[in-house]
Amino acid sequence: MRIGSGVDVHSFGPGDHVMLGGVRVPHSRGVIAHSDGDVVLHALCDALLGAAGLGDIGQHFRDTDPRWKGADSRRFIVGAMEMLRARKLRVGNADVTVLAEAPKVGPVREQIRSQIAELLGVAADRVNVKATTTEKLGFLGRAEGIAAQAVVLLLDG
Ligand code: MG
């Protein structure tokens, strides 16, 4: 059994949606990023790589690589899962937290959950998605950006 954690932050910028767990969520801002800036999948990718002892997302999917410009972040999870499978590791469960004043995660929570479950090759009840604000404190509280945290458990075999 192996545990891994991941964190990601992106600034808000011009745009009309944010990607969260592979789901397009309408918002008054977008995020500034090389890829699609999906904080949930970036944190999750780091948690997967972390648990497997494989470093971090930046080592495998460089944010200067033109291949990943505007990339669908689901590709990073697919890539990480391939590395895990090659090492005979599978996901036990994943727990994700979105930190932001907005957008609200509630309306898309189940959609994000099933999308992540599909990417990780597990049942939806092995994935938990939750959200919190920071009570208007700090850069997240001032709605300057959005962050996510992820924890995963990997099982052998
Ligand atoms: Mg990121």
Side-chain angles (χ1 to χ4, degrees), residues 113-150:
R113 189 183 196 188
S114 19
Q115 173 68 94
I116 292 175
E118 192 183 322
L119 287 165
L120 301 182
V122 296
D125 68 359
R126 296 287 178 151
V127 176
N128 190 65
V129 177
K130 54 198 193 297
T132 185
T133 69
T134 58
E135 299 289 341
K136 308 252 193 263
L137 293 171
F139 67 93
L140 294 168
R142 292 188 297 272
E144 293 169 7
I146 186 163
Q149 201 173 37

Side-chain angles (χ1 to χ4, degrees), residues 50-73:
L54 290 169
D56 65 39
I57 189 169
Q59 287 173 259
H60 298 277
F61 311 101
R62 292 204 176 280
D63 65 4
T64 49
D65 189 329
R67 267 187 305 170
W68 312 125
K69 180 143 179 55
D72 179 338
S73 294

